[in-house]
Amino acid sequence: MGKAKVKRTSTSIDMTAMCDVSFLLLTFFVLTATARTPETLIVDTAPSYSQAKLPDGNLSVITIGDEGKVFYSMSDPNVRAETLKSMSSRYGISFTPEEYEKFKLTEDFGVPIKNLKQLLALESGQRTVELQKGVPVDSTMDVSNELFHWVKEARIASAKILKDKAIVDNKDPDDIELMTVAIKADGDAKFPSLNLIIETLRNQKQNKFSFVTGLKAE
């Protein structure tokens, strides 16, 4: 009896649909992604073996240059806006709605609050480190120590925003993560400059903070 022949079928797979989906996803991510603005004050951090990572959100960073120049940044644009409102009231300097929107897009800054309006009037590419002489900081808790009040008002604004969100989401408003404060210092920064920052945080009972370091090779 003759052997039955099995009909051979093609093993090729039509990838057209898969390519269409891939390009659609790629287009979506490209159009919705937000470009990260480069840091204005770039520092060469001290090396360490720690591999702990900072959170992506609810974070504020104090950057110290090798000449003691201080810059401040807040990760959440809404926290930036609320903090600026509080600082505006404290220092008696009013800002326009347009300036609030510009500040929400400002990654970091290093000027006294009296010069902030002039900084916001510049394009982001014009806000060079040479034009910014640093956020004022000293050993007091007075208005002369502007960094003290920036950090304090940012922490209050962050807690308020997170509590309001927790209430909307039917969660316990007291069960929130407080803002993480990190210090990013140049490896050549002098100890007195770094000590001023630490004392500023301790004066507002902020005894837990992080240091940003570079990963040291084994």
Side-chain angles (χ1 to χ4, degrees):
M1 185 174 177
K3 199 173 183 180
K5 291 184 178 180
V6 179
K7 184 179 180 181
R8 294 183 179 181
T9 57
S10 175
T11 57
S12 63
I13 301 174
D14 187 0
M15 298 294 292
T16 305
M18 181 65 73
C19 291
D20 289 343
V21 171
S22 300
F23 278 109
L24 282 173
L25 289 173
L26 180 60
T27 303
F28 170 78
F29 288 123
V30 168
L31 294 177
T32 57
T34 303
R36 184 186 177 94
T37 306
E39 294 178 340
T40 308
L41 179 60
I42 300 175
V43 298
D44 185 12
T45 56
S48 76
Y49 292 110
S50 174
Q51 297 186 6
K53 294 183 179 180
L54 292 173
D56 294 328
N58 200 23
L59 169 71
S60 68
V61 179
I62 303 167
T63 306
I64 313 170
D66 58 348
E67 297 179 354
K69 185 180 290 188
V70 176
F71 274 60
Y72 188 57
S73 67
M74 294 161 276
S75 62
D76 190 333
N78 294 321
V79 172
R80 294 174 200 160
E82 289 298 321
T83 304
L84 184 58
K85 288 179 183 177
S86 300
M87 292 294 288
S88 170
S89 176
R90 179 176 295 276
Y91 286 87
I93 301 174
S94 60
F95 294 89
T96 65
E98 182 182 6
E99 288 170 336
Y100 275 104
E101 289 301 317
K102 287 184 177 182
F103 190 72
K104 287 176 69 174
L105 301 175
T106 301
E107 290 287 337
D108 59 358
F109 63 94
V111 295
I113 192 169
K114 65 180 182 181
N115 300 129
L116 188 56
K117 294 174 76 70
Q118 290 89 331
L119 182 70
L120 296 176
L122 300 173
E123 297 296 330
S124 57
Q126 298 175 321
R127 302 172 189 174
T128 61
V129 67
E130 291 79 14
L131 293 178
Q132 305 184 56
K133 55 185 179 181
V135 178
V137 56
D138 55 41
S139 59
T140 71
M141 292 184 283
D142 300 331
V143 291
S144 59
N145 189 352
E146 293 186 15
L147 180 66
F148 175 91
H149 296 287
W150 276 113
V151 176
K152 179 181 178 181
E153 297 301 341
R155 292 172 62 202
I156 294 173
S158 170
K160 180 180 181 301
I161 290 173
L162 290 178
K163 285 184 177 181
D164 291 344
K165 185 177 183 302
I167 292 173
V168 172
D169 296 338
N170 293 322
K171 296 181 180 178
D172 185 357
D174 293 325
D175 188 21
I176 61 171
E177 291 289 337
L178 297 178
M179 172 181 276
T180 300
V181 179
I183 300 174
K184 186 177 183 180
D186 191 277
D188 295 328
K190 306 300 181 184
F191 176 74
S193 300
L194 185 58
N195 188 54
L196 268 181
I197 305 301
I198 295 175
E199 287 302 315
T200 293
L201 296 178
R202 285 178 175 171
N203 284 341
Q204 53 183 275
K205 304 294 189 287
Q206 179 70 33
N207 296 314
K208 184 179 179 181
F209 47 86
S210 303
F211 279 99
V212 180
T213 58
L215 185 61
K216 191 174 184 179
E218 294 289 344

